[in-house]
PDB file of all heavy atoms in Angstrom:
ATOM      1  N   ASP A  29     128.887  91.745  87.747  1.00 72.00           N
ATOM      2  CA  ASP A  29     128.749  90.413  88.341  1.00 72.00           C
ATOM      3  C   ASP A  29     130.115  89.796  88.628  1.00 72.00           C
ATOM      4  O   ASP A  29     130.314  89.146  89.652  1.00 72.00           O
ATOM      5  CB  ASP A  29     127.948  89.496  87.418  1.00 72.00           C
ATOM      6  CG  ASP A  29     126.478  89.852  87.379  1.00 72.00           C
ATOM      7  OD1 ASP A  29     126.025  90.595  88.272  1.00 72.00           O
ATOM      8  OD2 ASP A  29     125.778  89.395  86.447  1.00 72.00           O
ATOM      9  N   GLU A  37     118.351  94.820  93.918  1.00 49.00           N
ATOM     10  CA  GLU A  37     117.446  94.499  95.024  1.00 49.00           C
ATOM     11  C   GLU A  37     116.072  94.122  94.490  1.00 49.00           C
ATOM     12  O   GLU A  37     115.361  93.354  95.105  1.00 49.00           O
ATOM     13  CB  GLU A  37     117.348  95.709  95.956  1.00 49.00           C
ATOM     14  CG  GLU A  37     116.529  95.473  97.181  1.00 49.00           C
ATOM     15  CD  GLU A  37     117.365  95.097  98.383  1.00 49.00           C
ATOM     16  OE1 GLU A  37     118.576  95.125  98.318  1.00 49.00           O
ATOM     17  OE2 GLU A  37     116.746  94.759  99.400  1.00 49.00           O
ATOM     18  N   LEU A  67     112.502  81.171 117.392  1.00 86.00           N
ATOM     19  CA  LEU A  67     113.529  81.233 118.429  1.00 86.00           C
ATOM     20  C   LEU A  67     112.939  81.030 119.824  1.00 86.00           C
ATOM     21  O   LEU A  67     113.541  80.361 120.670  1.00 86.00           O
ATOM     22  CB  LEU A  67     114.276  82.563 118.348  1.00 86.00           C
ATOM     23  CG  LEU A  67     115.216  82.736 117.154  1.00 86.00           C
ATOM     24  CD1 LEU A  67     115.687  84.176 117.045  1.00 86.00           C
ATOM     25  CD2 LEU A  67     116.389  81.789 117.247  1.00 86.00           C
ATOM     26  N   ASN A  71     113.908  78.095 122.289  1.00 79.00           N
ATOM     27  CA  ASN A  71     114.340  78.417 123.640  1.00 79.00           C
ATOM     28  C   ASN A  71     113.526  77.634 124.672  1.00 79.00           C
ATOM     29  O   ASN A  71     114.060  77.176 125.672  1.00 79.00           O
ATOM     30  CB  ASN A  71     114.213  79.923 123.879  1.00 79.00           C
ATOM     31  CG  ASN A  71     114.981  80.389 125.082  1.00 79.00           C
ATOM     32  OD1 ASN A  71     115.973  79.795 125.473  1.00 79.00           O
ATOM     33  ND2 ASN A  71     114.513  81.469 125.691  1.00 79.00           N
ATOM     34  N   ALA A  75     115.789  74.287 125.978  1.00 71.00           N
ATOM     35  CA  ALA A  75     116.539  75.040 126.988  1.00 71.00           C
ATOM     36  C   ALA A  75     117.379  74.123 127.879  1.00 71.00           C
ATOM     37  O   ALA A  75     118.502  74.472 128.245  1.00 71.00           O
ATOM     38  CB  ALA A  75     115.590  75.869 127.843  1.00 71.00           C
ATOM     39  N   GLY A  80     125.411  76.923 127.817  1.00 81.00           N
ATOM     40  CA  GLY A  80     125.282  78.338 128.160  1.00 81.00           C
ATOM     41  C   GLY A  80     125.552  79.237 126.961  1.00 81.00           C
ATOM     42  O   GLY A  80     124.922  80.275 126.781  1.00 81.00           O
ATOM     43  N   GLY A  84     122.902  81.820 125.256  1.00 83.00           N
ATOM     44  CA  GLY A  84     123.258  83.216 125.046  1.00 83.00           C
ATOM     45  C   GLY A  84     123.071  83.636 123.602  1.00 83.00           C
ATOM     46  O   GLY A  84     122.588  84.739 123.327  1.00 83.00           O
ATOM     47  N   ALA A  97     112.475  94.268 114.432  1.00 91.00           N
ATOM     48  CA  ALA A  97     111.027  94.358 114.235  1.00 91.00           C
ATOM     49  C   ALA A  97     110.514  95.721 114.704  1.00 91.00           C
ATOM     50  O   ALA A  97     109.680  96.336 114.028  1.00 91.00           O
ATOM     51  CB  ALA A  97     110.311  93.233 114.984  1.00 91.00           C
ATOM     52  N   SER A 112      97.771 108.291 105.430  1.00 86.00           N
ATOM     53  CA  SER A 112      96.446 108.694 105.924  1.00 86.00           C
ATOM     54  C   SER A 112      96.296 110.217 105.997  1.00 86.00           C
ATOM     55  O   SER A 112      95.176 110.719 105.982  1.00 86.00           O
ATOM     56  CB  SER A 112      96.171 108.062 107.284  1.00 86.00           C
ATOM     57  OG  SER A 112      97.053 108.568 108.249  1.00 86.00           O
ATOM     58  N   ILE A 130      96.367  96.724 110.977  1.00 89.00           N
ATOM     59  CA  ILE A 130      97.534  95.857 110.777  1.00 89.00           C
ATOM     60  C   ILE A 130      98.710  96.353 111.605  1.00 89.00           C
ATOM     61  O   ILE A 130      99.387  95.568 112.280  1.00 89.00           O
ATOM     62  CB  ILE A 130      97.897  95.775 109.276  1.00 89.00           C
ATOM     63  CG1 ILE A 130      96.848  94.964 108.520  1.00 89.00           C
ATOM     64  CG2 ILE A 130      99.286  95.188 109.070  1.00 89.00           C
ATOM     65  CD1 ILE A 130      96.978  95.017 107.007  1.00 89.00           C
ATOM     66  N   LEU A 141     105.340  88.775 122.134  1.00 86.00           N
ATOM     67  CA  LEU A 141     106.541  87.953 122.016  1.00 86.00           C
ATOM     68  C   LEU A 141     107.611  88.405 123.009  1.00 86.00           C
ATOM     69  O   LEU A 141     108.298  87.574 123.606  1.00 86.00           O
ATOM     70  CB  LEU A 141     107.079  87.984 120.591  1.00 86.00           C
ATOM     71  CG  LEU A 141     106.233  87.254 119.549  1.00 86.00           C
ATOM     72  CD1 LEU A 141     106.807  87.453 118.153  1.00 86.00           C
ATOM     73  CD2 LEU A 141     106.121  85.779 119.870  1.00 86.00           C
ATOM     74  N   ARG A 154      97.637  82.921 122.039  1.00 48.00           N
ATOM     75  CA  ARG A 154      97.076  83.123 120.699  1.00 48.00           C
ATOM     76  C   ARG A 154      97.451  81.913 119.840  1.00 48.00           C
ATOM     77  O   ARG A 154      98.471  81.912 119.173  1.00 48.00           O
ATOM     78  CB  ARG A 154      97.641  84.391 120.074  1.00 48.00           C
ATOM     79  CG  ARG A 154      96.980  84.707 118.752  1.00 48.00           C
ATOM     80  CD  ARG A 154      97.628  85.855 118.051  1.00 48.00           C
ATOM     81  NE  ARG A 154      97.384  87.104 118.740  1.00 48.00           N
ATOM     82  CZ  ARG A 154      97.802  88.267 118.282  1.00 48.00           C
ATOM     83  NH1 ARG A 154      98.474  88.340 117.188  1.00 48.00           N
ATOM     84  NH2 ARG A 154      97.538  89.361 118.951  1.00 48.00           N
ATOM     85  N   LEU A 160      99.514  85.859 109.534  1.00 53.00           N
ATOM     86  CA  LEU A 160     100.438  84.895 108.959  1.00 53.00           C
ATOM     87  C   LEU A 160     100.749  85.258 107.522  1.00 53.00           C
ATOM     88  O   LEU A 160      99.903  85.796 106.812  1.00 53.00           O
ATOM     89  CB  LEU A 160      99.829  83.489 108.964  1.00 53.00           C
ATOM     90  CG  LEU A 160      99.695  82.794 110.303  1.00 53.00           C
ATOM     91  CD1 LEU A 160      98.972  81.472 110.126  1.00 53.00           C
ATOM     92  CD2 LEU A 160     101.049  82.559 110.928  1.00 53.00           C
ATOM     93  N   HIS A 165     100.248  79.772 106.211  1.00 51.00           N
ATOM     94  CA  HIS A 165      98.893  79.449 106.629  1.00 51.00           C
ATOM     95  C   HIS A 165      98.586  77.985 106.314  1.00 51.00           C
ATOM     96  O   HIS A 165      99.082  77.418 105.352  1.00 51.00           O
ATOM     97  CB  HIS A 165      97.888  80.364 105.926  1.00 51.00           C
ATOM     98  CG  HIS A 165      96.561  80.394 106.614  1.00 51.00           C
ATOM     99  ND1 HIS A 165      95.632  79.414 106.436  1.00 51.00           N
ATOM    100  CD2 HIS A 165      96.037  81.277 107.499  1.00 51.00           C
ATOM    101  CE1 HIS A 165      94.567  79.686 107.168  1.00 51.00           C
ATOM    102  NE2 HIS A 165      94.793  80.815 107.816  1.00 51.00           N
TER     103      HIS A 165
END
Side-chain angles (χ1 to χ4, degrees):
D29 288 344
E37 184 96 6
L67 289 169
N71 196 27
S112 66
I130 289 170
L141 290 175
R154 186 187 291 183
L160 289 175
H165 198 279

